[in-house]
Amino acid sequence: VGSFVTLTRNCDAKWNIGKVLSLSPIKCSGKFSIGYKSTDAVFLCRSGRLEVLQSDDESNEFTICDVIPISLDFDPFWDKGQYSSTPLGSYSLTNSVVFRDNGIFDNLPYKWFSERTIKKSLSDCTQKLKREDKKFLNDYVHFYSALSTCLNVKITGLVLEEKDLYGKNGMTLGGAVVLANQNVSSQWMVSPSRPFLPSAEEDDTCTACVAKCHLDELIGLSLSLNQPIYCSKSLYNKISMDAKLVKLSPSEQTEDNIPTSEFNNENICIFASINDTTPSVDDDSLTAWEIFNPDTFFSLTTTQKRSILRNSFRAMQTSSELPRPREGEEALNQLLLSLMDDAVRQEVLRKISGSGPSVKEEQGNEESSRQSLLQAMGEALERGDTVKAEQLRARFAARTLLRADPTQAKGSYDTFLDQDDWYLAARRKSMGLR
């Protein structure tokens, strides 16, 4: 990715997520259908407040009110003794929490520690606990024990939050784990009366932080550690729905309606479905490095910025995640700017600061000259001189073609990777291009 750009940030002591509700997983297998696609799911309900209504025809079908379906790619561990009845031949000594990309293990605050091998030490400790375990406890129990032993860190809250936002109120959900140094963990216990999450300030002082995790990890930690999952009331009101709880007879059990989860309470299953609301693929969006007008940056909405970043990640073939909405628009701006053309980025920053060298002062430097062309092009457009603006745009495009990576600052990579202007001119001439 491009050079990282830091903008001025007004950092509050805490993120206030508003009124929060305490949720608990329902220990029952489930299926959640979005359009024609059906997935295994776990349903969350308000802790101690599950409302169940029996249908009028006295059938084996009930309605459970205001639950949140969580689609799962992996089956969570349902209890601490998950492996107690597992045949030894199928018992894996590999901890699934550790060897999971972009999960809780990868997002722990390793920067708090000067020891460069701290991540390996945590992995080794987790694996050792599993090898020596005679009770066959599940992977989250071992992981939590190692977390306390190696990092002196405690989980003080589990949070369900928005992961990404799309147009027309579309969203995807994500999990977050609040971690705090054990010496101050009591100050960071999330609860309905204390709806606060640590911000970057606490993370910088190695006090507390918020680590992203997968949704099945959030469910697994909640069940294994017997901790509730907190969710803002506003988000709960948006995504909660009614579902059907059905007791299936043997003749009704098919591959379509029996979940693959190991947990199955007397063949009781929860079903919920919604119309297909799969977010669009953002085909009409630019990538970040295709933004050449600095004013475009200032006109973008938050939804448009997210769309451009998703397109950019697809073009880069990376699995990187966007900042969570909780992190604010500053985090989104930093990421977007880091992927933009460096000359465009510098011109955006010049406009933000309201100052900067004049065009004449910059003529001696090739990279700043690209920025000066953008500045002059903007001034020409403000005067209504479209002919001059087009000439400047062509000169800017020609200079940009010389760069091996125009998103990187000049000097951040070997300049021999760039093309010489005479070489580009000769190559274009040989190809019959002007």
Side-chain angles (χ1 to χ4, degrees):
V1 299
S3 305
F4 195 78
V5 179
T6 302
L7 298 178
T8 303
R9 178 176 180 178
N10 181 15
C11 190
D12 297 329
K14 304 180 183 69
W15 273 311
N16 189 332
I17 55 177
K19 186 173 182 180
V20 297
L21 302 176
S22 174
L23 308 177
S24 300
I26 302 173
K27 280 197 172 184
C28 180
S29 301
K31 282 283 188 179
F32 179 51
S33 300
I34 303 177
Y36 295 104
K37 182 181 179 181
S38 181
T39 61
D40 289 338
V42 169
F43 289 80
L44 303 179
C45 68
R46 294 187 64 175
S47 300
R49 296 182 60 177
L50 178 61
E51 184 179 357
V52 181
L53 304 176
Q54 187 172 10
S55 56
D56 297 333
D57 57 3
E58 297 184 357
S59 64
N60 289 330
E61 188 173 295
F62 301 82
T63 299
I64 52 177
C65 303
D66 300 327
V67 293
I68 298 176
I70 304 295
S71 295
L72 298 177
D73 295 323
F74 293 84
D75 192 34
F77 301 104
W78 287 101
D79 56 68
K80 292 183 179 180
Q82 182 76 31
Y83 295 124
S84 57
S85 59
T86 301
L88 188 60
S90 62
Y91 180 72
S92 172
L93 293 178
T94 302
N95 189 290
S96 60
V97 182
V98 173
F99 295 97
R100 181 86 179 274
D101 289 338
N102 299 321
I104 177 64
F105 182 78
D106 283 347
N107 291 311
L108 292 173
Y110 299 111
K111 67 178 184 179
W112 290 3
F113 306 91
S114 57
E115 183 184 348
R116 297 184 63 182
T117 59
I118 187 66
K119 188 173 184 179
K120 182 179 184 302
S121 298
L122 178 61
S123 174
D124 292 344
C125 181
T126 306
Q127 299 292 88
K128 180 181 178 181
L129 288 171
K130 185 166 185 175
R131 287 194 303 269
E132 298 176 351
D133 179 22
K134 304 303 181 183
K135 297 181 179 179
F136 295 97
L137 300 178
N138 77 44
D139 289 0
Y140 290 109
V141 178
H142 299 140
F143 170 72
Y144 186 67
S145 298
L147 196 65
S148 175
T149 303
C150 295
L151 305 189
N152 194 35
V153 164
K154 183 176 182 179
I155 294 177
T156 59
L158 304 173
V159 180
L160 178 69
E161 64 177 2
E162 296 168 325
K163 178 181 178 180
D164 200 1
L165 298 176
Y166 299 79
K168 298 181 181 179
N169 298 321
M171 72 175 72
T172 52
L173 299 175
V177 178
V178 183
L179 301 162
N181 187 293
Q182 293 201 50
N183 298 328
V184 295
S185 60
S186 60
Q187 302 174 23
W188 292 103
M189 298 298 297
V190 182
S191 70
S193 60
R194 302 179 68 179
F196 301 110
L197 302 183
S199 67
E201 185 176 344
E202 285 72 38
D203 194 7
D204 292 341
T205 57
C206 306
T207 304
C209 71
V210 182
K212 301 173 185 176
C213 71
H214 297 296
L215 287 173
D216 58 279
E217 292 180 325
L218 188 73
I219 302 295
L221 286 168
S222 173
L223 290 166
S224 300
L225 306 181
N226 196 27
Q227 288 193 21
I229 296 172
Y230 293 103
C231 172
S232 71
K233 185 176 181 181
S234 59
L235 179 59
Y236 175 82
N237 291 336
K238 287 180 184 178
I239 62 177
S240 60
M241 62 183 68
D242 293 345
K244 292 181 180 180
L245 187 148
V246 180
K247 184 173 182 179
L248 301 171
S249 64
S251 61
E252 295 174 315
Q253 297 174 16
T254 67
E255 291 184 0
D256 293 332
N257 61 22
I258 290 297
T260 59
S261 170
E262 296 177 14
F263 184 89
N264 198 328
N265 185 3
E266 296 181 352
N267 299 326
I268 293 176
C269 185
I270 301 175
F271 295 92
S273 63
I274 59 174
N275 295 328
D276 188 359
T277 56
T278 304
S280 61
V281 189
D282 310 315
D283 288 333
D284 57 341
S285 294
L286 301 169
T287 58
W289 49 88
E290 292 174 326
I291 299 175
F292 295 115
N293 186 349
D295 292 332
T296 301
F297 176 85
F298 298 101
S299 65
L300 294 172
T301 64
T302 300
T303 301
Q304 289 172 329
K305 290 175 183 177
R306 288 185 169 276
S307 180
I308 289 172
L309 285 169
R310 284 192 294 268
N311 256 11
S312 301
F313 287 158
R314 274 193 292 271
M316 297 164 62
Q317 298 182 345
T318 177
S319 58
S320 300
E321 289 187 2
L322 272 65
R324 300 276 172 95
R326 157 182 53 80
E327 299 176 67
E329 193 159 1
E330 289 295 340
L332 207 61
N333 288 341
Q334 287 186 18
L335 181 57
L336 180 58
L337 283 169
S338 71
L339 296 175
M340 288 170 60
D341 183 291
D342 185 54
V344 182
R345 174 169 60 240
Q346 297 304 325
E347 182 64 8
V348 169
L349 295 176
R350 185 189 68 82
K351 289 192 173 189
I352 290 175
S353 64
S355 61
S358 66
V359 175
K360 292 181 180 179
E361 291 174 338
E362 295 178 332
Q363 295 297 332
N365 180 277
E366 185 275 332
E367 183 57 26
S368 59
S369 179
R370 289 203 314 131
Q371 182 184 345
S372 71
L373 288 171
L374 284 176
Q375 183 180 346
M377 183 173 65
E379 293 170 352
L381 289 173
E382 290 176 0
R383 296 193 306 268
D385 190 348
T386 56
V387 175
K388 181 66 173 177
E390 177 59 28
Q391 293 173 347
L392 292 166
R393 187 204 65 78
R395 290 173 58 191
F396 173 81
R399 286 186 177 274
T400 301
L401 283 174
L402 300 175
R403 296 289 304 280
D405 184 358
T407 68
Q408 298 280 0
K410 191 70 173 180
S412 60
Y413 63 90
D414 195 333
T415 56
F416 283 103
L417 294 173
D418 293 339
Q419 298 186 75
D420 293 322
D421 52 359
W422 63 266
Y423 174 79
L424 179 62
R427 187 164 178 263
R428 289 177 64 83
K429 184 177 180 180
S430 67
M431 298 171 65
L433 300 174
R434 295 182 60 186

